Amino acid sequence: MIDLLLAKYLSSSALATAMGEVDPAFIQDPQHRPKISPIQAEGIPTIDLSPITNHTVSDPSSIEVLVKEIGSACKEWGFFQVINHGVPLTLRQNIEKASRLFFAQSLEEKKKVSRDEMSPSGYYDTEHTKNVRDWKEVFDFQVKDPTLVPLNYDDHDDRVSYWTNQFPEYPPNFREIIEEYVQEVEELSFKLMQLIAMSLGLDAKRFEEFFMKDQTSFIRLNHYPPCPYPHLALGVGRHKDAGALTILAQDEVGGLEVKRKAEQEWILVKPTPDAYIINVGDIIQVWSNDLYESVEHRVMVNSEKERFSIPFFFFPAHYTVVKPLEELTNKQTPAKYMPYNWGKFLVRRKGSNFKKLNVENIQIYHFKIA
């Protein structure tokens, strides 16, 4: 049965060896391997965004309640789900259908729009997380085309470069479908950032300056083929998101696990139809000076079913200097992080996706003040 599964998916994803054995590159260290019967999450907050999406003047008290819910979720979980979010269901259905059609093609067709170190947008199937290969294939699409980024991560080199998108011939209208969807999810991102700012006692538009021009955000289409070895491999290994905010659409198969801060246990997030899963990224952790924490998460694989997901990564402009906000620091609560340049950080992180490193990739704790 395992050999049949491998044969079925080898031609389309190139994710396993022809001998019917899992490639060692996919095998997680024993302490990081998934549990076959994970703990199901019941406590991840589900937040109704109707007060900010229903096009009518909301009662100020309902906004206040919403802000408190967002703040509590960010502080206690780092993750939450949103419903009545304002993103039209038809747009989500369109991009989900397009994703399935794209990944159903032959590997030869998908590789016609392969990304590489010079152009990290497009198709890819050998990404690494924590220096272990992920059991997945992806298609990345930059929100701004072209996206302005540093040429390299040398702090003394001010030269810039551009990342541009690639567009496959199939499915039809692929570009238009993604662009239309991105516009709506980007609008949701700005609304959520306003709520997060207010929950920290800041002006609602405090974060807008970092994203209004030259943002480096991108959207990803994920495909996780069935894996004959779900006890050894992961769709995505344990990690924290480097950006400000992630908005995730996942299908009914599920597989996302979050490490609950209180118990440090891996919790499986049950899919909620038409909802989005939101998580706070490293940048918000630094901006908030650790009031909110970016939480580890990972993706389990399924031995029988393929899984699709679509995360939107909300990233600021490349020249953004990320540091604790002055409003949230004082003599009693000094800054816990040294400033770092987001663009340099991003370029260095992207480069590690293409090869296995001898050391762990750059993380925000490298900027932590002892």
Side-chain angles (χ1 to χ4, degrees):
M1 181 64 179
I2 287 176
D3 289 338
L4 289 175
L5 279 170
L6 284 170
K8 181 178 179 181
Y9 290 99
L10 179 62
S11 61
S12 62
S13 63
L15 293 179
T17 64
M19 298 302 294
E21 298 177 355
V22 66
D23 186 327
F26 294 105
I27 299 177
Q28 297 285 328
D29 289 338
Q31 69 270 30
H32 300 305
R33 293 175 187 171
K35 295 180 180 179
I36 300 303
S37 299
I39 301 171
Q40 188 88 355
E42 300 294 343
I44 287 184
T46 297
I47 299 176
D48 189 339
L49 296 183
S50 296
I52 62 168
T53 58
N54 60 12
H55 304 293
T56 60
V57 178
S58 296
D59 179 359
S61 63
S62 65
I63 300 293
E64 184 177 340
V65 170
L66 184 56
V67 168
K68 288 181 178 179
E69 288 180 331
I70 292 284
S72 177
C74 289
K75 190 170 185 178
E76 295 178 16
W77 279 92
F79 270 79
F80 54 95
Q81 299 190 80
V82 294
I83 58 174
N84 297 319
H85 41 68
V87 178
L89 179 58
T90 54
L91 297 186
R92 178 163 168 173
Q93 291 172 334
N94 288 344
I95 195 171
E96 287 175 346
K97 180 180 178 180
S99 176
R100 290 174 181 271
L101 290 172
F102 173 77
F103 287 119
Q105 297 180 102
S106 68
L107 184 61
E108 180 183 7
E109 285 299 314
K110 289 180 285 193
K111 283 196 169 184
K112 289 180 180 179
V113 286
S114 289
R115 66 182 175 117
D116 56 37
E117 293 183 62
M118 298 303 296
S119 180
S121 297
Y123 176 77
Y124 201 60
D125 66 352
T126 56
E127 188 163 80
H128 289 71
T129 302
K130 302 290 186 183
N131 289 321
V132 180
R133 189 173 166 188
D134 297 329
W135 190 277
K136 69 178 181 185
E137 53 183 349
V138 308
F139 184 91
D140 287 344
F141 184 93
Q142 299 295 141
V143 170
K144 300 295 182 184
D145 191 15
T147 293
L148 185 65
V149 294
L151 181 63
N152 55 55
Y153 56 80
D154 183 348
D155 289 333
H156 303 291
D157 191 339
D158 294 330
R159 292 177 295 172
V160 296
S161 181
Y162 294 93
W163 290 343
T164 57
N165 286 323
Q166 300 187 75
F167 307 103
E169 295 181 3
Y170 183 85
N173 304 318
F174 191 74
R175 176 178 182 175
E176 291 78 10
I177 290 170
I178 293 181
E179 288 179 341
E180 193 173 12
Y181 177 80
V182 163
Q183 184 176 352
E184 292 290 335
V185 181
E186 182 183 22
E187 183 177 337
L188 175 59
S189 300
F190 276 107
K191 291 176 180 177
L192 289 169
M193 292 299 290
Q194 287 185 4
L195 293 170
I196 290 171
M198 294 168 68
S199 75
L200 289 167
L202 305 171
D203 180 82
K205 296 187 177 182
R206 178 64 176 90
F207 297 124
E208 285 192 3
E209 63 180 284
F210 303 111
F211 301 93
M212 293 302 292
K213 183 181 179 183
D214 298 330
Q215 62 172 276
T216 52
S217 306
F218 75 100
I219 192 167
R220 166 169 287 184
L221 309 182
N222 282 320
H223 175 223
Y224 304 92
C227 176
Y229 302 93
H231 59 295
L232 297 178
L234 287 167
V236 182
R238 73 197 192 284
H239 68 286
K240 298 183 178 184
D241 289 352
L245 204 65
T246 303
I247 299 180
L248 174 71
Q250 67 167 342
D251 66 12
E252 71 285 353
V253 175
L256 174 66
E257 287 191 319
V258 175
K259 181 170 275 191
R260 176 71 191 270
K261 291 168 60 176
E263 300 90 358
Q264 290 296 295
E265 288 280 354
W266 287 106
I267 307 292
L268 182 65
V269 180
K270 183 180 179 180
T272 300
D274 306 329
Y276 284 103
I277 298 171
I278 315 297
N279 67 281
V280 169
D282 288 345
I283 290 177
I284 287 182
Q285 179 170 331
V286 174
W287 278 340
S288 72
N289 205 33
D290 282 352
L291 289 174
Y292 297 161
E293 183 182 348
S294 175
V295 175
E296 260 193 334
H297 51 288
R298 65 186 186 183
V299 176
M300 295 180 65
V301 287
N302 192 298
S303 62
E304 299 178 355
K305 298 178 181 179
E306 60 183 340
R307 175 180 183 260
F308 296 85
S309 69
I310 306 172
F312 174 83
F313 299 99
F314 201 40
F315 288 176
H318 79 92
Y319 41 76
T320 299
V321 176
V322 181
K323 60 182 180 179
L325 298 177
E326 293 179 0
E327 301 96 313
L328 302 177
T329 57
N330 52 46
K331 289 184 178 180
Q332 289 72 39
T333 310
K336 298 181 179 180
Y337 296 89
M338 296 180 290
Y340 64 91
N341 177 276
W342 166 247
K344 299 291 186 180
F345 188 99
L346 174 63
V347 169
R348 186 169 179 178
R349 285 284 287 258
K350 280 283 189 179
S352 74
N353 292 339
F354 298 90
K355 55 189 174 184
K356 185 172 182 176
L357 305 176
N358 295 322
V359 296
E360 185 179 16
N361 200 4
I362 189 73
Q363 306 288 339
I364 58 169
Y365 68 72
H366 292 123
F367 301 93
K368 190 93 174 188
I369 298 174

